[in-house]
Amino acid sequence: VREADEEPTPEVRNQIAGLLNRIIDLDPSDNRAKTKLARIALIDGFIDRAFALSETVLETEPENVDALVISGGALLRLEDSANATYRATSAFAIDPENLDAQLILVVERIIAEDLDGAIALIDERSSEGEPNLALSLIKIQTLEQMEDIDGAIAIYEQLIALEEDDVELRRSYAGFLVRNNRVEPGREVMQSLVAEYPEDAEAVAGLIGLVLATEGNPAAQMELQSFID
């Protein structure tokens, strides 16, 4: 029942973890429960715990893709890039569609400052169908590091065309534009959001903050008063 929550809060994750710990106490051979618990530990930052649990699973199921991925993610956080890559590559060989394995390989390349290599890995995946949101956002960040702002904008526009109702994505795009000295286009994105979602307090606050940063206090007060009115 707890796992049916698509966006579990930390409290719900703690409840799930407690139940999984109880299951493992009752049946120490339950690798499914161990893998689930390891993933929660990784998400919540208990890296050593996540690594230990995933390695325990791999002792009896060396081709368990979920355990390989979790182990790889933990190793990456522990700054052991070589073994993280080995684990992710092993998972990828078993399941070429595994997104988490691909994310590990991409992030490892970014950590190694091989930005072109990271882009190549993302493009390899993207060429097979519609762009993946997580990989595309990483590509945007990588292109921003490479100062290819126009390339990043093209990806944002492609994503927004596919996900028009994703308010957070459009808000992120506006912030990206402003951060990279495209203030007027960024403001246009924020204004379109506010026009479509006038009750969205975050969208309104984002627009007011942008006006404050670019035009000063009086202009921001006038903009805010118009919403109050």
Side-chain angles (χ1 to χ4, degrees):
V1 171
R2 295 299 183 195
E3 287 177 335
D5 191 332
E6 293 182 0
E7 296 184 7
T9 62
E11 180 183 1
V12 171
R13 284 201 302 275
N14 283 338
Q15 292 170 346
I16 295 171
L19 293 164
L20 289 169
N21 273 313
R22 180 63 177 148
I23 290 168
I24 294 167
D25 287 341
L26 293 167
D27 181 6
S29 66
D30 192 330
N31 283 342
R32 187 164 175 263
K34 289 179 185 177
T35 303
K36 289 182 177 182
L37 185 58
R39 185 175 292 277
I40 291 174
L42 186 61
I43 291 170
D44 288 340
F46 299 102
I47 310 305
D48 291 332
R49 174 70 166 151
F51 178 68
L53 282 165
S54 59
E55 289 295 300
T56 300
V57 173
L58 291 172
E59 287 175 5
T60 55
E61 295 182 28
E63 293 192 350
N64 185 308
V65 172
D66 288 338
L68 285 167
V69 166
I70 294 165
S71 176
L75 286 164
L76 199 61
R77 298 277 293 275
L78 293 169
E79 301 182 2
D80 186 350
S81 294
N83 283 313
T85 300
Y86 176 74
R87 287 284 193 250
T89 303
S90 299
F92 191 65
I94 300 166
D95 178 11
E97 298 300 314
N98 191 284
L99 175 61
D100 289 333
Q102 292 173 321
L103 285 170
I104 291 170
L105 294 173
V106 169
V107 172
E108 186 279 327
R109 286 293 81 206
I110 293 172
I111 292 171
E113 299 183 356
D114 178 12
L115 301 185
D116 288 327
I119 294 290
L121 285 171
I122 295 170
D123 287 345
E124 184 179 330
R125 161 81 184 206
S126 300
S127 65
E128 298 173 2
E130 285 190 357
N132 174 271
L133 180 60
L135 286 172
S136 295
L137 291 174
I138 291 176
K139 184 175 181 180
I140 285 168
Q141 293 171 357
T142 306
L143 289 171
E144 186 174 13
Q145 283 184 257
M146 299 169 72
E147 299 183 356
D148 183 358
I149 306 306
D150 289 335
I153 287 173
I155 297 172
Y156 259 125
E157 291 178 347
Q158 183 184 20
L159 291 174
I160 290 170
L162 293 170
E163 302 287 345
E164 293 181 1
D165 296 330
D166 191 330
V167 175
E168 188 58 41
L169 179 62
R170 289 166 65 185
R171 191 181 293 127
S172 169
Y173 180 37
F176 172 87
L177 290 169
V178 173
R179 186 167 66 249
N180 288 284
N181 300 316
R182 311 289 175 96
V183 175
E184 194 54 40
R187 178 167 179 166
E188 289 175 5
V189 173
M190 291 301 301
Q191 286 176 323
S192 69
L193 268 176
V194 170
E196 289 181 48
Y197 305 98
E199 302 301 320
D200 186 332
E202 285 191 46
V204 173
L207 179 59
I208 300 301
L210 177 56
V211 174
L212 177 63
T214 57
E215 299 180 32
N217 201 327
Q221 288 191 43
M222 288 179 62
E223 192 78 32
L224 183 57
Q225 187 62 51
S226 71
F227 285 108
I228 293 171
D229 293 340

